[in-house]
Amino acid sequence: MSSLILIIDDDEEDERDENDEPLYPASKGYKSFLSVADLQSIKGNLLDQNSSYSQSELLNAVKYYHENDAFLLFNS
């Protein structure tokens, strides 16, 4: 659970590659993961299902979304 992350304002990044991804993060060794808006949506979905979710459940929900492009549904 130890990873370096870089959060950028994508709208402020002018220099981009052929896939319209910002050049700066890649030049520093970072790879694109999810947008802040995606992470906020994942958290919101999780809160709707369980207002007292654990850090492990949040990480599982993020991983599931990243792998499946869909929200994780928990059994009530």
Side-chain angles (χ1 to χ4, degrees):
M1 296 246 322
S2 167
S3 296
L4 293 176
I5 63 169
L6 175 67
I7 300 172
I8 63 166
D9 183 347
D10 191 83
D11 295 334
E12 296 296 319
E13 297 294 318
D14 293 329
E15 296 181 14
R16 298 186 170 272
D17 66 14
E18 63 278 355
N19 296 318
D20 199 34
E21 293 294 327
L23 289 175
Y24 177 76
S27 74
K28 299 298 180 188
Y30 292 94
K31 295 180 182 178
S32 181
F33 180 60
L34 293 172
S35 70
V36 171
D38 287 338
L39 293 170
Q40 290 171 331
S41 294
I42 295 165
K43 181 180 176 184
N45 180 65
L46 191 56
L47 275 171
D48 288 344
Q49 295 184 67
N50 177 2
S51 61
S52 61
Y53 64 85
S54 68
Q55 182 179 17
S56 176
E57 288 172 318
L58 176 58
L59 290 174
N60 285 338
V62 169
K63 181 180 176 187
Y64 185 88
Y65 184 90
H66 185 256
E67 292 173 351
N68 299 286
D69 195 26
F71 291 114
L72 182 61
L73 299 177
F74 292 92
N75 294 332
S76 301

